[in-house]
Amino acid sequence: KVDYKIDGINETISIEGLPDFLKAEGTVLDFYNPHISLELTTNLGIPTKGVVDITPIFAGTADEESKIELNLTLPYSTSGKESVTGKFWIASEEIGVPDGYTFIKGDIRKLLKRIPDGLTLALNATTVTTESATIEPQEKYNLSIAYGFGLPLSFGENMSIAISDTLENLGIGQ
């Protein structure tokens, strides 16, 4: 049984290239069952659990009220020479989960009701000290994270986008 110090992973994802009206204060996006696919790869031979915090950022400030917290059990390897990957599908509903993924209930809609400037992902992992572990002192251990977002083009009843523009030279009154 091991109590091993694991460095956390903190990453900020910038959300750019969207039209301003999608990021406007009054815009409400109500996507139907958006999801995050998350892959954690490690060669660590120690049973580990983790907490992933995902926080939207608006104008440089974290929106703590919209943050979601996810608890997961990380994969672990039986040999420091081999990496294993755990695949997680995070969504409000267990719909469309691909084979090989573990479903985790998480309200991704809360993160994306209004499109943020970015998202902060923080993964903090701790060892499960009640289970046996395999440690090979000569190995260099690693933990990497890969992710993707899925936003189905199906909208809920709270969808609201206000667009206003001035049209010139319509030929009226000529």
Side-chain angles (χ1 to χ4, degrees):
K1 306 201 183 346
V2 174
D3 190 2
Y4 184 79
K5 168 83 170 100
I6 302 170
D7 293 334
I9 296 174
N10 290 296
E11 189 166 333
T12 299
I13 304 165
S14 187
I15 300 174
E16 300 172 341
L18 296 174
D20 289 339
F21 71 86
L22 285 177
K23 290 185 164 190
E25 185 93 25
T27 300
V28 176
L29 300 174
D30 189 6
F31 294 105
Y32 175 73
N33 204 36
H35 68 270
I36 295 175
S37 58
L38 179 67
E39 294 185 13
L40 300 170
T41 302
T42 186
N43 65 336
L44 188 63
I46 301 171
T48 309
K49 61 184 176 181
V51 176
V52 178
D53 289 329
I54 306 173
T55 309
I57 301 168
F58 296 98
T61 303
D63 180 1
E64 294 294 330
E65 289 182 21
S66 296
K67 174 173 82 173
I68 63 170
E69 182 180 288
L70 307 166
N71 295 296
L72 37 114
T73 300
L74 282 65
Y76 63 95
S77 179
T78 56
S79 167
K81 294 179 181 13
E82 296 177 18
S83 292
V84 294
T85 300
K87 297 179 179 182
F88 304 93
W89 188 267
I90 304 157
S92 298
E93 298 178 37
E94 194 171 351
I95 298 171
V97 180
D99 289 341
Y101 280 76
T102 300
F103 173 74
I104 297 174
K105 188 170 182 67
D107 192 1
I108 305 305
R109 287 182 284 214
K110 187 164 95 170
L111 288 174
L112 302 174
K113 267 243 189 270
R114 185 171 150 227
I115 300 290
D117 300 321
L119 295 170
T120 300
L121 268 65
L123 170 62
N124 294 302
T126 58
T127 57
V128 179
T129 57
T130 57
E131 294 185 32
S132 296
T134 302
I135 297 179
E136 299 170 40
Q138 74 280 6
E139 293 299 328
K140 180 175 176 163
Y141 291 103
N142 59 62
L143 173 65
S144 63
I145 183 171
Y147 50 83
F149 285 90
L151 301 172
L153 290 178
S154 177
F155 303 102
E157 63 187 37
N158 294 319
M159 178 78 166
S160 172
I161 299 175
I163 300 173
S164 62
D165 204 347
T166 302
L167 300 174
E168 310 252 346
N169 300 322
L170 292 177
I172 299 174
Q174 293 180 344

